[in-house]
Amino acid sequence: MKIDLHTHILPREWPNLRDRYGYGGFIQLEHEGPGCARMMRDGDHFRTIEDNCWDPIRRIEDCDRHGVAVQVLSTVPVMFSYWAKPEHGHDLARLLNDHLAGVVRDHPKRFVGLGTLPMQAPDLAVRELERCVRDLGLRGVEIGSHVNGMNLDHPSLFPVLEAAERVGAAVFVHPWDMMAKERMGKYWLGWLVGMPAETSLAICSVIFGGVLERLPRLRIAFAHGGGAFPGTIGRIEHGFNCRPDLCAVDNPRNPREYLDKFYLDSLVHDADALRQLLRLVGAERVALGTDYPFPLGEAEPGRLIESLGELSDAVRRRLLAGTALEFLGLDEGFFRV
């Protein structure tokens, strides 16, 4: 069984958000022809997508081709729109979540949903989180690596994570709005360098900020194999040990003690990197994730995991499905017809 923890979906269409809210900055779709559309922002081209980004039947066909039993759906991070006015961010989140829940409802054995939240307004985010779980049947939420420059340890964001623990919602953290944009405009560096750095920053924030200490039952996962974090844990721990006056100001525990307190997806694109990830956190903390349907993802879901011939069948099963099931709070029988 393969469960893909990291996939993105959009509605085929949604209202003109500039007209709806009275200002720009939002993403709109321009359909160019059969099976193709451009994501546009204020008239500028952001990304070209195909119908596998919005058509559930096309997605299921792709899943069947690659032996994927279940996709975990979340919105495309550019849709977070944390910069928008709170009431508009809340309205947009509701639009996206209602659509996503409808796709899951229509295909309950093939899809699981993670909603999006208006994180710029934590009170509204908590309300929408509760609606996602209680009314829409979603298994959790996807949030960004920061909220308008506030890292995930910011006190204003804690109530959202606290609510997620309370209602048993999984939290999937995806990098977005990458740092140092003025220096990463060329060579796709925002995606190649900025995203791994954003993810490492998010992990370090929840560790050093004591979030995982205060919320020990929070099920939280980070995209792209933890980004730069696994490769720099030695430096992070050394910094904690040599300068506790700078690093241990909010949490006195060694960051290495938290390696079994969060989940990562397997999207590292390199066999040795995956081996190192498994040595660092164990298969119990790594789940198949592909970033479907985007080109920087894994084109053949599970191929990297399956390429490691030294893995036992039990470890391979854990990576392909078991860890995702645990993160989502489900068991395999949930998807049996």
Side-chain angles (χ1 to χ4, degrees):
M1 185 180 191
K2 293 181 185 179
I3 299 176
D4 189 346
L5 185 65
H6 180 177
T7 81
H8 299 293
I9 191 170
L10 290 171
R12 188 186 187 282
E13 55 189 21
W14 56 88
N16 185 302
L17 300 179
R18 175 186 283 274
D19 292 345
R20 189 179 182 94
Y21 303 138
Y23 54 95
F26 298 97
I27 294 290
Q28 297 293 156
L29 281 191
E30 290 185 358
H31 289 272
E32 297 184 299
C36 186
R38 295 193 302 168
M39 299 175 70
M40 303 293 293
R41 180 162 47 195
D42 296 337
D44 294 328
H45 178 255
F46 175 74
R47 174 184 287 160
T48 296
I49 59 174
E50 298 180 2
D51 58 358
N52 56 2
C53 200
W54 65 79
D55 184 348
I57 301 304
R58 170 74 188 281
R59 298 176 77 95
I60 290 173
E61 291 171 352
D62 286 348
C63 286
D64 289 345
R65 188 176 304 112
H66 296 294
V68 174
V70 179
Q71 281 189 340
V72 181
L73 309 177
S74 55
T75 194
V76 181
V78 72
M79 301 298 290
F80 289 155
S81 304
Y82 296 156
W83 48 267
K85 293 178 181 179
E87 64 271 24
H88 301 150
H90 189 201
D91 180 69
L92 178 56
R94 289 178 63 92
L95 287 172
L96 295 170
N97 293 338
D98 287 345
H99 164 262
L100 194 152
V103 174
V104 174
R105 189 165 52 248
D106 291 342
H107 308 277
K109 302 301 181 182
R110 304 306 301 265
F111 300 125
V112 174
L114 299 177
T116 187
L117 302 176
M119 292 292 288
Q120 64 269 53
D123 56 336
L124 297 178
V126 169
R127 188 189 309 174
E128 183 62 12
L129 169 66
E130 292 172 343
R131 189 181 80 96
C132 283
V133 174
R134 181 189 63 237
D135 299 338
L136 300 183
L138 303 181
R139 300 306 304 177
V141 294
E142 175 195 37
I143 66 172
S145 50
H146 68 93
V147 179
N148 299 329
M150 294 185 295
N151 292 330
L152 297 184
D153 64 325
H154 195 279
S156 70
L157 304 179
F158 186 79
V160 184
L161 299 176
E162 186 178 40
E165 185 191 60
R166 173 170 50 81
V167 302
V171 177
F172 183 64
V173 179
H174 196 291
W176 90 296
D177 189 29
M178 282 73 77
M179 62 183 76
K181 290 187 287 292
E182 70 281 0
R183 296 173 57 202
M184 297 197 195
K186 199 174 181 181
Y187 312 125
W188 215 20
L189 292 181
W191 273 253
L192 304 183
V193 177
M195 279 194 166
E198 281 287 341
T199 307
S200 182
L201 176 54
I203 296 173
C204 287
S205 294
V206 300
I207 290 176
F208 284 121
V211 175
L212 300 181
E213 187 70 16
R214 297 170 66 189
L215 301 174
R217 296 184 303 280
L218 177 66
R219 302 197 310 278
I220 188 168
F222 297 88
H224 309 149
F229 179 83
T232 53
I233 180 59
R235 181 179 181 87
I236 291 165
E237 181 185 34
H238 181 70
F240 171 86
N241 289 329
C242 74
R243 292 302 305 267
D245 57 316
L246 299 178
C247 297
V249 294
D250 290 325
N251 183 7
R253 291 185 61 183
N254 188 313
R256 195 176 286 271
E257 295 180 33
Y258 292 92
L259 295 179
D260 63 348
K261 307 300 183 187
F262 55 87
Y263 300 89
L264 304 171
D265 73 18
S266 64
L267 190 57
V268 295
H269 303 286
D270 181 87
D272 284 336
L274 181 56
R275 290 186 179 98
Q276 171 59 18
L277 195 63
L278 295 176
R279 285 193 293 267
L280 184 67
V281 302
E284 297 77 12
R285 292 286 148 178
V286 179
L288 171 64
T290 69
D291 212 353
Y292 176 100
F294 298 127
L296 198 51
E298 184 176 42
E300 298 182 34
R303 182 174 183 179
L304 183 61
I305 292 170
E306 292 164 341
S307 74
L308 302 188
E310 69 270 24
L311 299 181
S312 69
D313 288 343
V315 168
R316 189 172 285 108
R317 287 194 299 270
R318 177 73 191 194
L319 295 171
L320 293 175
T323 300
L325 288 169
E326 182 178 288
F327 171 68
L328 296 167
L330 296 171
D331 59 61
E332 189 172 333
F334 181 84
F335 301 105
R336 291 184 181 142
V337 178

